[in-house]
């Protein structure tokens, strides 16, 4: 599993679909919002948690189609299916690699980009905490979507349509936790919900993704 994780990290960096792409998209979204809604500090501060969470969600979505597609094209996925490592472990490693190359950089960059949207000072910590709790769910759910559409023509578009509705609960509770933190309100409930979503996704979706991959490889 460690060797597979190291391989996926190297491929993500070499292919240019990891750190740079997601961060560049996140930065563009953050910069464009003030041009669209105006420079009013009060308005930007109010919408900053939601905008940052939407930007992080869409940035995670960019690289989902690469999770299994490259392995499918060069035949590596067939070899992985016959390896001693269970398919559920392979899916988990793929999701972890996606989170490290996409989710983790977004978690680190989000508080810095919050300055551009005039995010209130109390909100930085809770924005960071909500992304730490919620982005693993984005990667695991996205891996399930990638498994469903692997090998399909124009699978990236279909995967987006399948995955985006599943992202909605994570987006709602993540943005709510960051908003409550920025306003000085209690954040325990949305953070616990985020943690529950991530824990449930990690517990269930690797098995569903593995089953789907076995069907697609037959």
């Amino acid at each position: 599993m460690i060797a597979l994780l190291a391989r996926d990290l190297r491929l993500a960096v070499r292919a240019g679909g990891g750190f740079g792409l997601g961060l560049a998209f996140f930065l563009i979204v953050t910069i464009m919002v003030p041009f669209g809604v105006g420079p009013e500090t009060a308005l930007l501060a109010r919408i900053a948690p939601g905008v940052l969470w939407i930007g992080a969600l869409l940035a995670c979505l960019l690289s989902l189609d690469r999770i299994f597609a490259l392995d499918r094209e060069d035949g590596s996925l067939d070899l992985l299916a016959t390896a001693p490592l269970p398919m559920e472990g392979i899916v988990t490693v793929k999701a972890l690699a996606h989170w490290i190359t996409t989710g983790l950089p977004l978690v680190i960059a989000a508080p810095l980009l919050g300055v551009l949207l005039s995010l209130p000072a109390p909100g930085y910590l809770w924005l960071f905490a909500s992304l730490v709790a919620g982005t693993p769910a984005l990667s695991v759910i996205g891996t399930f979507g990638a498994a469903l559409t692997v090998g399909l023509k124009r699978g990236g578009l279909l995967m987006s349509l399948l995955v985006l509705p599943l992202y909605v609960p994570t987006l709602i509770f993540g943005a709510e936790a960051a908003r409550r933190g920025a306003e000085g309100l209690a954040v325990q409930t949305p953070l616990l919900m985020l943690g529950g979503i991530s824990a449930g996704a990690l517990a269930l979706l690797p098995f569903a993704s593995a089953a789907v991959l076995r069907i697609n490889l037959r």
Side-chain angles (χ1 to χ4, degrees):
M1 292 180 70
I2 294 175
L4 179 59
L5 177 61
R7 169 186 174 271
D8 284 351
L9 293 178
R10 288 195 301 268
L11 289 176
V13 174
R14 292 174 183 174
F19 304 95
L21 182 60
L23 285 177
F25 182 84
F26 197 18
L27 177 61
I28 290 172
V29 170
T30 306
I31 291 175
M32 294 296 290
V33 167
F35 290 106
V37 302
E40 292 84 357
T41 302
L43 176 60
L44 291 175
R46 188 167 66 252
I47 67 174
V51 169
L52 291 169
W53 252 97
I54 290 173
L57 184 151
L58 294 177
C60 283
L61 192 66
L62 285 178
S63 57
L64 290 180
D65 60 338
R66 308 173 71 93
I67 293 179
F68 295 111
L70 296 179
D71 290 332
R72 174 77 176 190
E73 291 173 2
D74 63 12
S76 299
L77 191 58
D78 295 319
L79 295 177
L80 290 173
T82 59
L85 184 65
M87 185 63 76
E88 291 80 5
I90 294 171
V91 171
T92 303
V93 170
K94 293 283 187 180
L96 177 59
H98 179 269
W99 183 80
I100 292 174
T101 57
T102 303
L104 183 58
L106 296 176
V107 170
I108 297 172
L112 302 177
L113 297 180
V115 177
L116 301 177
L117 296 177
S118 303
L119 182 69
Y124 289 96
L125 174 62
W126 298 114
L127 173 65
F128 178 83
S130 67
L131 287 170
V132 169
T135 49
L138 299 182
S139 293
V140 176
I141 295 172
T143 303
F144 174 66
L148 281 173
T149 58
V150 64
L152 297 179
K153 293 182 178 179
R154 299 180 180 178
L157 178 59
L158 178 60
M159 181 192 59
S160 299
L161 295 176
L162 292 173
V163 167
L164 280 175
L166 300 177
Y167 276 176
V168 171
T170 305
L171 173 63
I172 291 173
F173 291 114
E176 181 67 10
R179 183 191 66 81
R180 289 191 181 189
E183 296 178 359
L185 303 176
V187 299
Q188 289 83 355
T189 299
L191 279 181
L192 286 175
M193 292 300 295
L194 272 179
I197 292 172
S198 293
L202 286 169
L204 299 176
L205 287 185
F207 295 95
S209 301
V212 169
L213 283 176
R214 292 189 184 99
I215 293 173
N216 287 336
L217 290 174
R218 289 176 183 172

